[in-house]
Amino acid sequence: MTRTYDPLTEVILNHGYYNAGLSDDFTVAPTEETARFLKRYRLLFGPKLRGINHTWSVLQEQYDGNALLALPSSWQMRFAMTLENGNFLNFTDLPALGRNEIFFFINQNGSTDLHAGALEKMELVSHRFSWEGLSGSPATVTATHAVSGEIYTANVVTEASNQFVRIDLEGLPVGRYFLQRDNLAAERTVYYDPELYGQRIFGIIHLVQENPLNVSSTHGINFSARSDRWKYFVVLKGDHTDYTYAITDKSGANTPLTFADHAAVNPAYTLQDPDTNTESMLNSIFGPNSVSIFVSSQSIPYQESTRSLLALERTKDDTTTSVLANLPNPAAGKAHAAVVVNVDPPNLIPAINNGS
C-alpha cells in the first residue's frame, strides 16, 4: 500500500503590490474545533512550502489513491489570519476596520475566490456586545446561523441608555450570524466566536462543503495595492528666470505616467491641507513662490519595485536638459504620497576638487 498526502484544498494569498503577485504577510492557523476536525479525519494543514506563507494547504491522507477516512457530506473549516507585516496596511487598498472588526472570507458559489470582489468585514463578538444604532427596546432579536440556517432567539439586556444583545450560543455552532429585531427587515451581521474574540485577528477564512468546496480546489484571497496621486514639491533655490520645469516618464511604458503643475493637471487637483502646509513651510524657508507642485494626472498604485526613469527636466529657449534622471518614488503609506526635490539654480558652478 502506498500512503500519500494529497491536496484537499488550497488558499492562495494574492497581492497586486508585490512583483510576484503573492502576499507572504500572514500566518494562518485553524481554530480549536477545526484542529479537532483535521485530526479526526487525518488531514494536515500548513503552508505549502516551509517558511513561505502565501499558499496554505489542507492535505488528505490517502492510501493507493483513496482517502483513508471519507469526509462527511457537510462540514466547515475555519482558520484565523494574523497579520505579521506592520507595513501591510500602508500599501494595501482596504477599508478601515472598526473596533473588534475583522475581514471575512468564505468560498463563493461558482467562484474560486474567497470574496466577491469587495472585502467583507464584520464585528467579531463574544457572548455580549453592543448593537450600535439600536434605538428603543426591541421585543425580540433573532440570530440566524449563516451556514446551518438555524434560527435562535437572543436575550436582550438593557443597561443605562444603551442596548446590549446577549447571544447564548454555548454548545451551538460558532460563525457568522444575521441578526434581526422585531421581525423587521433591518439586519446586522456579526461573527460570533468567544475563542477568537479579543485576539489579534485580521480575518477569518471560512471553508464550507455546501457551497461547494471541491476536492483539489484552489481558492484565492486577492488584495489590491493602494493607489494615490503622486506629488513632487520642486523647490527652486536661487534664480531660475526663463526656465520652465516638467516631470516626464522616460520608462517607455505603453501607458506613461503624466505629471503637471497642480493647477493645470487633468483632471484638476485641489490641494489638501497637508499639501498647503508643506508648501507654506517650504516657501517660508526658501522664499516666496519658490515651490512648484507637480501632481500625477491619475492615481498610481504602489508596487514593490520602483517606477524608474521619472525625469525632472528644465527648458530654456527650446533647449531641454535633465536635472534628475530618476526621481524617487513616494514611499507607500507616507503622508500624501509626496516627495520634496531641491533644485539648485541653473548657473551654479559646482566646486572642483583640485586635490589640495
Side-chain angles (χ1 to χ4, degrees), residues 127-184:
H127 298 294
R128 189 177 193 177
F129 60 95
S130 175
W131 186 338
E132 298 293 337
L134 185 65
S135 60
S137 298
T140 61
V141 172
T142 57
T144 304
H145 193 273
V147 174
S148 69
E150 292 290 334
I151 301 175
Y152 308 99
T153 300
N155 293 331
V156 179
V157 179
T158 303
E159 291 188 0
S161 60
N162 298 320
Q163 297 294 331
F164 290 88
V165 177
R166 181 190 297 275
I167 302 178
D168 295 317
L169 293 179
E170 186 174 357
L172 297 177
V174 296
R176 180 170 55 163
Y177 282 87
F178 304 109
L179 304 182
Q180 188 176 38
R181 58 162 296 181
D182 297 336
N183 297 319
L184 300 177

Side-chain angles (χ1 to χ4, degrees), residues 173-299:
V174 296
R176 180 170 55 163
Y177 282 87
F178 304 109
L179 304 182
Q180 188 176 38
R181 58 162 296 181
D182 297 336
N183 297 319
L184 300 177
E187 290 184 332
R188 181 184 176 193
T189 303
V190 297
Y191 200 95
Y192 169 78
D193 194 326
E195 173 197 340
L196 299 180
Y197 180 78
Q199 298 189 31
R200 190 170 58 94
I201 301 300
F202 173 89
I204 291 176
I205 299 172
H206 199 139
L207 303 179
V208 295
Q209 171 64 18
E210 290 89 342
N211 274 29
L213 178 68
N214 295 319
V215 172
S216 300
S217 60
T218 297
H219 298 272
I221 296 177
N222 306 310
F223 297 103
S224 300
R226 188 171 69 85
S227 60
D228 207 338
R229 293 284 193 97
W230 287 11
K231 282 157 279 191
Y232 289 92
F233 290 75
V234 178
V235 180
L236 303 179
K237 298 158 63 176
D239 184 11
H240 296 260
T241 303
D242 298 329
Y243 283 88
T244 59
Y245 286 81
I247 294 176
T248 306
D249 186 349
K250 300 288 188 178
S251 66
N254 292 332
T255 306
L257 305 179
T258 57
F259 293 82
D261 183 274
H262 73 277
V265 70
N266 185 25
Y269 177 79
T270 301
L271 293 180
Q272 308 299 309
D273 288 342
D275 302 328
T276 56
N277 292 340
T278 301
E279 181 184 30
S280 298
M281 177 193 69
L282 293 172
N283 280 326
S284 67
I285 297 173
F286 297 101
N289 303 317
S290 62
V291 180
S292 295
I293 305 176
F294 292 90
V295 180
S296 63
S297 60
Q298 66 271 69
S299 289

Side-chain angles (χ1 to χ4, degrees), residues 30 38 44 65 84 98 107 116 126 156 191 208 227 229 306 310 327:
L38 296 173
L44 298 179
E84 303 295 347
N107 46 307
S126 186
V156 179
Y191 200 95
V208 295
S227 60
R229 293 284 193 97
T306 59
L310 291 179
L327 287 170

Side-chain angles (χ1 to χ4, degrees), residues 47-90:
K48 187 172 184 178
L49 298 176
R50 185 181 298 274
I52 300 178
N53 295 340
H54 53 61
T55 302
W56 297 83
S57 302
V58 178
L59 303 177
Q60 186 178 49
E61 185 176 353
Q62 297 188 351
Y63 282 86
D64 294 337
N66 297 309
L68 177 64
L69 294 175
L71 295 176
S73 59
S74 175
W75 47 263
Q76 61 179 331
M77 291 186 290
R78 302 183 308 116
F79 304 90
M81 300 175 66
T82 302
L83 181 60
E84 303 295 347
N85 183 354
N87 294 318
F88 180 85
L89 299 179
N90 293 338

